[in-house]
Amino acid sequence: MQRQHDRRASKNRNHFIEHKNRSRISLERRVGRHEVWSWKTASKESLCLMWQKVKVQLMLSMSFLTALFWYCRRLYSFLAQLLKRWSNYLQRQLIRNLSVLPEVDLLGYSAREWKGETKQAKQMREAYEKLFRSCHIKYLRQVRRDNYSVIRAVLFQIFSQGIPFPSWMKERDILKLPEKLLYSQGCNWIQQYSFGPERYTGPNAFGKLRKCMEALKTNWAEISATRDHEERGSMCNTLFSDESKEYKLYEAIKFIMLYEVVEAYEQIKSRDKPVHNLFSLLFARDSSSDPLSFMMNHLNSIGDSICLDQVDLFLLGYLLEVKIRVYRLHRFNTEEFQVKYPDEYRREWNEISLLTEDDRYYHIPLFRT
């Protein structure tokens, strides 16, 4: 009995211990599951919070980038418009300052300038048509209408074509011509020389003339040494858009004309050697019977109130050693429609062409075949 009781008690203890162990294991498993669930929940919540922050940052960044892109686009558009307006302004200023304008269609220019059915308008349109059909002149470069017009048109073509110095100018230093005329030949009256609208300079005439001669020599040498046609054209456009520089060139040409007249006059008086026939024509005029009257009555007013006349054109072509062909539209259907200055020239001289409607203002015709 006692043994049965002990076995039963032992068995109950074992059952109790086993039940206790099972309860502990179950509790441990439940605690483990709760810990795992708590960790997952905490991680998920952390990730959600982090994503919310990142999402806000991304939205702010996207908004900033969008605003920045819009601003840059507007800025680019504004700068492009500003650059375009500035470019157009500079182009208008350049064209306005140019004394020789870009080429235009010859017949288009004729139609714009000579409208109407008057006799003169019809004759001018016919003359332009003649130039277009028979002379192969297709375009025209307008030259500023002032009293330097013909000298400007001649010099611009000499420079743009790269025509070198005339032969006599290569043998002499033109910078010394004012000094030679004043001191060697005793022409003190050159102090009365007028620089276009500037009527009287007195003792300053010598210094100003030397600066004019320097400008002519420097620019002529530099441009004629440039072989590239487009580069030479660009240099001419720059030079002939600066009034102060180009006027020095014209005054230098005027003074060279005076110097040649003085030289010819001295040769006629001394009878050392024959002179060109054009000087006989020049001195035959009452207004230019000697160098002083030529300067006072002709040269001093050129650039101010008068242009070169026909006799002066002979002299200009002779001293620059170029054959100047002039189409005189107001002389259409006459023998004087085309004339050359001078009428006697050497074969090696270069030819340039001018176009005039009134023998006062001149333009540059352009040939195309």
Side-chain angles (χ1 to χ4, degrees):
M1 290 287 293
Q2 185 64 31
R3 288 179 180 177
Q4 290 180 354
H5 179 73
D6 291 337
R7 283 197 296 271
R8 194 177 291 114
S10 178
K11 188 176 182 179
N12 288 336
R13 282 198 302 272
N14 291 336
H15 281 298
F16 175 74
I17 292 171
E18 184 178 355
H19 177 71
K20 187 176 181 180
N21 289 334
R22 288 176 180 174
S23 298
R24 182 176 56 79
I25 292 171
S26 176
L27 179 61
E28 289 177 353
R29 286 178 178 176
R30 285 198 299 270
V31 170
R33 290 194 195 101
H34 179 71
E35 289 178 352
V36 171
W37 180 82
S38 298
W39 179 82
K40 288 182 177 179
T41 302
S43 299
K44 187 175 181 180
E45 289 178 353
S46 297
L47 288 173
C48 287
L49 290 173
M50 189 180 297
W51 169 246
Q52 290 295 330
K53 292 180 179 180
V54 171
K55 186 177 180 180
V56 171
Q57 292 295 329
L58 286 174
M59 291 180 66
L60 291 174
S61 299
M62 289 299 294
S63 299
F64 173 76
L65 290 175
T66 302
L68 182 62
F69 175 77
W70 177 86
Y71 174 77
C72 291
R73 187 174 180 181
R74 290 295 300 271
L75 180 62
Y76 172 79
S77 178
F78 172 75
L79 291 176
Q81 289 292 330
L82 186 63
L83 182 62
K84 184 178 180 180
R85 291 178 181 177
W86 179 249
S87 177
N88 292 336
Y89 170 77
L90 291 179
Q91 188 174 6
R92 288 195 301 271
Q93 288 296 112
L94 178 61
I95 293 177
R96 185 181 303 171
N97 292 334
L98 279 176
S99 57
V100 180
L101 297 182
E103 63 183 47
V104 295
D105 178 73
L106 183 75
L107 295 183
Y109 172 83
S110 170
R112 289 192 305 271
E113 294 295 318
W114 295 101
K115 299 176 182 179
E117 298 301 322
T118 64
K119 182 179 179 180
Q120 185 184 19
K122 289 181 179 180
Q123 180 180 347
M124 284 297 177
R125 290 199 297 268
E126 289 177 8
Y128 276 107
E129 185 74 22
K130 173 74 173 179
L131 294 179
F132 185 86
R133 301 298 179 191
S134 303
C135 303
H136 306 291
I137 298 175
K138 308 300 182 183
Y139 299 93
L140 174 78
R141 295 195 70 163
Q142 295 173 256
V143 178
R144 181 179 294 161
R145 293 174 177 266
D146 61 15
N147 291 310
Y148 287 116
S149 176
V150 63
I151 303 179
R152 178 183 292 113
V154 169
L155 265 188
F156 185 88
Q157 290 187 81
I158 289 176
F159 286 2
S160 62
Q161 294 180 26
I163 297 175
F165 290 117
S167 58
W168 70 267
M169 200 178 290
K170 296 176 183 177
E171 299 170 358
R172 306 182 200 175
D173 185 3
I174 63 172
L175 300 183
K176 296 181 180 179
L177 297 185
E179 181 179 355
K180 182 178 179 182
L181 198 62
L182 180 61
Y183 298 111
S184 300
Q185 297 180 245
C187 300
N188 295 327
W189 42 264
I190 68 169
Q191 294 183 11
Q192 301 177 58
Y193 185 92
S194 294
F195 295 83
E198 191 174 345
R199 282 289 183 180
Y200 178 72
T201 54
N204 296 328
F206 176 78
K208 293 192 68 172
L209 283 171
R210 187 174 180 84
K211 289 181 180 179
C212 292
M213 303 303 286
E214 289 175 351
L216 178 65
K217 183 178 180 179
T218 301
N219 286 283
W220 197 335
E222 182 180 359
I223 295 176
S224 63
T226 304
R227 298 304 175 191
D228 184 74
H229 179 72
E230 291 186 1
E231 184 180 354
R232 196 164 59 240
S234 178
M235 294 171 69
C236 288
N237 288 335
T238 302
L239 176 61
F240 286 85
S241 62
D242 189 328
E243 289 187 358
S244 62
K245 288 183 179 180
E246 63 171 316
Y247 287 168
K248 289 180 181 178
L249 307 181
Y250 309 147
E251 292 301 325
I253 293 296
K254 285 171 51 180
F255 180 76
I256 292 175
M257 293 172 67
L258 176 61
Y259 181 83
E260 287 292 323
V261 168
V262 172
E263 288 273 286
Y265 188 75
E266 294 296 328
Q267 290 175 13
I268 292 174
K269 286 201 309 180
S270 62
R271 298 181 181 180
D272 288 340
K273 55 183 178 180
V275 296
H276 197 280
N277 291 334
L278 69 90
F279 293 104
S280 299
L281 293 174
L282 189 144
F283 294 130
R285 299 184 301 186
D286 293 336
S287 58
S288 59
S289 57
D290 55 52
L292 176 58
S293 61
F294 173 68
M295 183 189 76
M296 298 299 295
N297 298 326
H298 291 270
L299 283 185
N300 278 358
S301 298
I302 293 173
D304 180 27
S305 57
I306 64 172
C307 299
L308 296 184
D309 59 21
Q310 304 300 302
V311 177
D312 298 332
L313 270 175
F314 279 101
L315 176 60
L316 182 64
Y318 172 77
L319 69 89
L320 296 178
E321 294 185 357
V322 291
K323 178 175 61 177
I324 305 174
R325 184 190 298 271
V326 180
Y327 297 91
R328 305 170 72 198
L329 274 65
H330 58 294
R331 299 293 186 182
F332 182 59
N333 286 332
T334 69
E335 293 182 353
E336 297 179 342
F337 178 59
Q338 286 190 48
V339 292
K340 297 175 183 176
Y341 303 98
D343 50 3
E344 297 178 6
Y345 49 85
R346 296 181 181 176
R347 293 179 58 185
E348 64 269 19
W349 288 8
N350 292 278
E351 179 176 328
I352 61 176
S353 298
L354 302 178
L355 183 154
T356 181
E357 298 172 347
D358 53 11
D359 284 341
R360 181 175 176 84
Y361 302 120
Y362 291 78
H363 299 305
I364 300 174
L366 301 178
F367 297 85
R368 299 286 190 277
T369 54

